[in-house]
Amino acid sequence: MTHARVSGTGGYLPEAILTNADLERLVDTTDEWIVERTGIRMRHVAAPGETTSDLALQASLRALDAAGLHAHDLDMILVATTTPDQIFPSTACLLQAKLGVGGCPAFDIQAVCSGFVYAVATADQFIRGGQCRHVLVVGAETLSRITDYSDRGNSILWGDGAGAVVLSAAKEPGVISTHLHADGAHRSLLEVPAGVSRTDVTDDKIRMEGRAVFKMAVNTLDQIVDETLAHNGIAKSELDWLVPHQANIRIIQATAKKLAMSMDQVVVTVDTHGNTSAASIPLALDVAVRDGRIRAGDLILTEAFGGGFTWGAALIRM
Ligand code: ACO
């Protein structure tokens, strides 16, 4: 039996930083309110001309280096993003060209904040099925390009960045199980209305009913965590780490409480990264791998909830 195992992680954050003090100058808000309601103190913002595939490239090179692999070794490239460089080609194809390789399949996955979990599940299937040995899985976003900096209800959340993992074929798991869901009924609660075929809409920034999304996120993450533990017949106490989607510290704390985990066992980057959508989990994972908290053999649970709505979880042995 072949399994998918994390062989390397990488992350990249653009240089420019947007602090809560900067936001105080843009909208009617305060550092105190943002920290208390979200846990966020700062977020990174891409430079003019710096695209999602540029961020993805830096994270990918670091993940490949950590895995001891070259881009030529890749059998597939997946990019989870909701802020692609352009309508087409896919950001995955643009990344492939920047990596200087060609031939292997490359495609984007669009599941907003759950995109990375969806991409891990996809890569896992191709590795388990024997079609791929090494898959590059990237979450990359330039959310600043679709943020309405006059809307205090959500502009305070978003950040730019990219995280990447290389999943490689191995005898031992690895990715133990993945759980994906979606419910398209709640579009108006969280969306960017502009699109290609809805030509009547010109608004192209994020709109969100924050309070309603918050409640659904907490309840849904409760369920996905239960589903994952029950599916694998494991107890909460067997988990070493929670690596959650970084949407809001209060949502993260609610999931940690549900799992009876101390916040010392939770990787938190929302304070300095903000919500980077599909990039947030691989960025957090990379931070905790590189600072030595997450080690080989640790059992980690990742979970995400985002626009769509989409949600999912992955149980991974590092
Ligand atoms: N500064 C000061 N006051 C504010 C701000 C702000 N930035 N934003 C809202 N307020 C005010 C509101 O106007 C409201 O005032 P009122 O009581 O006088 O009407 C009050 O603060 C409370 O507003 P709420 O919206 O209830 O604030 P809440 O505590 O819910 O926090 C937030 C808002 C941070 C957006 C939160 O709801 C949240 O994190 N939601 C979920 C985000 C999420 O998980 N999204 C899904 C993933 S992201 C993706 O998929 C792209």
Side-chain angles (χ1 to χ4, degrees):
M1 180 85 184
T2 304
H3 300 277
R5 192 142 207 167
V6 176
S7 55
T9 67
Y12 180 76
L13 292 158
E15 215 175 288
I17 286 171
L18 188 68
T19 64
N20 291 351
D22 295 329
L23 284 165
E24 283 177 359
R25 288 187 277 277
L26 295 173
V27 280
D28 180 17
T29 192
T30 61
D31 172 56
E32 194 187 6
W33 191 95
I34 300 172
V35 172
E36 190 192 313
R37 306 308 293 167
T38 73
I40 300 170
R41 294 179 185 278
M42 55 180 262
R43 63 293 284 146
H44 291 249
V45 177
E50 192 175 30
T51 65
T52 296
S53 67
D54 292 330
L55 308 186
L57 175 65
Q58 298 308 321
S60 300
L61 291 173
R62 291 172 189 183
L64 285 165
D65 186 55
L69 294 170
H70 186 272
H72 287 115
D73 299 315
L74 295 172
D75 302 308
M76 179 174 282
I77 297 171
L78 302 178
V79 176
T81 186
T82 199
T83 46
D85 287 25
Q86 51 191 82
I87 291 168
F88 69 81
S90 69
T91 305
C93 283
L94 301 177
L95 172 63
Q96 185 184 42
K98 286 179 180 176
L99 285 167
V101 293
C104 77
F107 56 98
D108 287 359
I109 289 186
Q110 160 57 305
V112 199
C113 296
S114 310
F116 180 74
V117 178
Y118 270 61
V120 165
T122 306
D124 182 44
Q125 294 299 323
F126 278 98
I127 291 174
R128 279 177 199 251
Q131 283 172 272
C132 296
R133 269 191 69 72
H134 301 294
V135 181
L136 176 64
V137 183
V138 186
E141 303 283 9
T142 46
L143 292 175
S144 59
R145 304 276 154 73
I146 53 167
T147 297
D148 175 357
Y149 285 105
S150 69
D151 181 354
R152 70 174 185 173
N154 73 71
S155 62
I156 45 126
L157 298 174
W158 316 115
D160 298 340
V165 302
V166 180
L167 289 178
S168 298
K171 289 208 172 73
E172 304 290 323
V175 178
I176 296 169
S177 71
T178 55
H179 307 264
L180 306 181
H181 297 278
D183 181 353
H186 306 284
R187 185 173 87 189
S188 60
L189 295 181
L190 178 53
E191 64 173 338
V192 178
V196 183
S197 61
R198 288 188 82 216
T199 49
D200 56 323
V201 176
T202 52
D203 189 335
D204 61 357
K205 305 293 184 206
I206 300 170
R207 297 178 187 181
M208 183 170 75
E209 300 287 334
R211 203 176 304 189
V213 175
F214 185 97
K215 280 187 194 149
M216 288 199 73
V218 170
N219 291 335
T220 308
L221 290 170
D222 260 19
Q223 289 163 24
I224 193 79
V225 160
D226 280 342
E227 177 185 327
T228 308
L229 295 180
H231 175 86
N232 292 290
I234 65 163
K236 298 167 183 174
S237 57
E238 291 176 61
L239 294 171
D240 294 305
W241 294 100
L242 175 65
V243 187
H245 169 50
Q246 311 283 321
N248 183 319
I249 191 67
R250 291 184 291 138
I251 296 175
I252 295 172
Q253 285 163 341
T255 308
K257 192 172 169 200
K258 159 91 188 165
L259 287 167
M261 288 176 96
S262 127
M263 285 305 284
D264 292 343
Q265 290 174 279
V266 182
V267 181
V268 174
T269 54
V270 72
D271 52 338
T272 52
H273 296 180
N275 179 345
T276 59
S277 194
S280 90
I281 292 174
L283 266 168
L285 182 63
D286 182 58
V287 165
V289 166
R290 284 177 194 264
D291 70 20
R293 274 180 289 170
I294 294 184
R295 296 169 189 208
D298 283 354
L299 188 61
I300 68 166
L301 179 64
T302 67
E303 41 77 352
F305 178 87
F309 289 127
T310 58
W311 61 100
L315 185 70
I316 301 173
R317 178 78 65 189
M318 292 297 287

